[in-house]
Amino acid sequence: MKYKSQKVAYWFFALSMLLLVLQITYGFIMGFARMGFDNLHEFIPFNTARAVHTNLLVVWLLSGFMGAAYYIIPEEAQKELVSVKLAYVQLISLALVGVVAIIGFHFNIWEGRKFLEIPRPLDYLVVVNVLLFLGLILTTLFKAKRRTTTSLVLSMGLLFAALLYLPGMLPFDSQVTDSFFRWWVVHLWVEGVWELIMGGILSFLLIKLTGVDREVIEKWLYVIVGLTFLSGVLGTGHHYYYIGVNKIWLVVGGIFSALEPLAFLAMALFAVNMYRKGEKKHPNKLALYWTLGSAIVSFVGAGLLGFAHTLPQTNLYTHGTLVTAMHGHLAFWGAYAMIVLAIISYALPNLTGRKLYESSRGRAAFWLSNIGMIGMTVAFGVAGVAQVYLERKFGMDFMTVQKEISVHFVVLVLCATMFATGIVLYIIDFYKHGKPTDEALDI
């Protein structure tokens, strides 16, 4: 059964696609700057481009998560959203906050705290926006007669994500204390509660696409939630190695960082096993590609590559180098970007009535973006290892090393071009589906 209020999800998805294009654009600006072509430096310095690139990543993913919630919750709860008008108000206010923040970055209006750069007044507006979103989602669930494990895990992830934003707003005079709590936001989002959001969306998609019994799929969710909290919370310790806190975090961070891949391994096994058990041959193969791809790539990017450089013995050398960028790009792409693209691929045909399942353009988008991202990951990795040896082992000057490894950014930009081509094809497919219709939702 479909619900008219699910139409609001389309516009959140559309916003996320627009923000994704902007994020990629600023990524190219940084890539060309690293190659020596920094012609835009007077207008967009590297630090501004980096802040815009990383913050747009967070905002476009959050827009996608919100769109996913507005699509999934009514269907899981079997109840229309309590107020569609307020959902549109929330969408517009989210877009306005994002625009003001990005413009402000270009005029050096920011806090200067990595990943949490937006000015304090905008922080308060973000809190109001997210409270409105949670109010709509949780009230809909509360009034519904049906509450599934999938909807509860998704809602729990979104609620905890909102609560964990608050420590990043606490003012501290000590940079050590500030960094300590800043990682409560950054780490516990991406290696904690966002995994619950991913798990909820993954569960919904597998129920719809494979036909495996809901009880079987949702039992796996409990395993994922348990592993996420077991490893993710104390795994925050790998960010505390060198910021001035007690040495005990070297032990705690090392042990629990080694356990963090288990949650992503569980998701990968979960998805593949459900696919094998599935008797339902769903026609939307593109959504299935993105769903299974997300589970597998997240294990490699977030799980294995994260493990490879968060052990204290390794992180002593790789901390703050391009090895981190290697891990970060594939982790965010696999765990969160691909699951957003998966729910969009599933929802669009249902919202618009246009069943573009067998689109060659859609398949090309999947393969080009994934091959391009893997190429970028390899380029970052090779450059990062070279940086570690030249800078950390041989003691060469930082800027000298940057010149030595600039050749790797030629490969990076070439692979990024392939990736961007795939994303453009995906967005063309998004556009070709058209806007949602009441007729499609009445079917």
Side-chain angles (χ1 to χ4, degrees), residues 30 46-56 102 105 110 117:
M30 288 193 292
F46 188 87
N47 64 316
T48 300
R50 186 180 185 278
V52 174
H53 184 68
T54 54
N55 280 267
L56 280 174
I102 297 307
F105 290 169
W110 50 18
E117 284 94 346

Side-chain angles (χ1 to χ4, degrees), residues 283-302:
N284 194 340
K285 292 291 189 292
L286 286 176
L288 188 61
Y289 289 166
W290 286 108
T291 302
L292 294 176
S294 173
I296 294 166
V297 176
S298 67
F299 171 59
V300 177

